[in-house]
Amino acid sequence: MQPAVLDAIQQRYACRRFVMDRPVSAGELTVLLESGRLAPSAFGLEPWRFITVTVAAERTAIAHACYDQPAAATAAAFIAIVALDGALDPDSDYVRAQFKAEARGEDPAPIYEAYRAFYRVGSMAEWARGQCNFAAAHMLLQAAHLGLGSCPIGGFDAAALAAALMLPPGETPALVIALGHCADAASQRVRKPLA
């Protein structure tokens, strides 16, 4: 018997065009968000926020920010994954709360010590965006398991996307996941051999 997760991995592909006017349900979006919420992150920081976009005018703004790629232009919904760059200072309230939770009632000092040694102001934004990919991977696989089409979009005008999402300072778009019901059948997967 093949494991269910491997089955979802084999089914998943980047849908380039979605069926117009076929929505993604609120229940499906909730399951996708929960999948992202449960993703791993370094230091347990979960340096992300998820924004769902289903309203037509807002989807159009997101699609424009994504250069009107066909997957973006036809998506029934988006989940934007936003990196919390501005919250990652070791002394921020956000980091303190996350480390307290990560310590699970124990002394969080060892986590702080490791994080302070790692923390570099100039590279944290890029690191946070990379961490967002863990949540995206969970959501993409969950979408396949639900029978939804998905397409991760990393090509976008960051300023236009931030404006469309009305992001406050300290938050940066990391990735957009276009969602819906794929209009085209999956093409044959081409991958390097395991060896």
Side-chain angles (χ1 to χ4, degrees), residues 6-156:
L6 186 58
D7 186 51
I9 291 169
Q10 289 177 335
Q11 291 175 29
R12 197 219 65 78
Y13 67 99
C15 179
R16 304 293 182 202
R17 191 170 56 93
F18 296 96
V19 175
M20 298 297 284
D21 302 321
R22 188 164 174 206
V24 175
S25 74
E28 289 168 326
L29 287 170
T30 297
V31 170
L32 293 170
L33 294 172
E34 180 67 0
S35 298
R37 185 185 75 82
L38 294 173
S41 63
F43 302 101
L45 278 174
E46 303 172 53
W48 51 60
R49 182 165 74 93
F50 310 134
I51 302 170
T52 57
V53 180
T54 57
V55 176
E58 295 172 1
R59 290 193 332 257
T60 298
I62 302 297
H64 288 327
C66 294
Y67 308 114
D68 290 312
Q69 298 173 53
T74 60
F78 293 104
I79 296 177
I81 304 176
V82 175
L84 304 178
D85 311 353
L88 297 178
D89 182 278
D91 296 313
S92 73
D93 291 340
Y94 181 82
V95 169
R96 289 179 195 280
Q98 291 301 111
F99 285 175
K100 181 179 179 184
E102 186 69 12
R104 297 171 179 83
E106 301 292 323
D107 181 9
I111 303 170
Y112 271 109
E113 183 178 332
Y115 184 64
R116 284 184 191 283
F118 170 77
Y119 182 83
R120 300 289 178 270
V121 174
S123 63
M124 294 311 289
E126 183 178 337
W127 174 83
R129 286 190 302 275
Q131 292 289 302
C132 291
N133 291 323
F134 300 144
H138 274 217
M139 290 185 205
L140 293 167
L141 293 178
Q142 185 64 58
H145 184 71
L146 292 173
L148 291 171
S150 65
C151 185
I153 300 174
F156 50 77

Side-chain angles (χ1 to χ4, degrees), residues 152-188:
I153 300 174
F156 50 77
D157 178 321
L161 184 56
L165 295 168
M166 296 182 285
L167 298 184
E171 295 187 9
T172 306
L175 191 73
V176 175
I177 299 175
L179 296 161
H181 298 272
C182 207
D184 304 308
S187 57
Q188 183 175 0

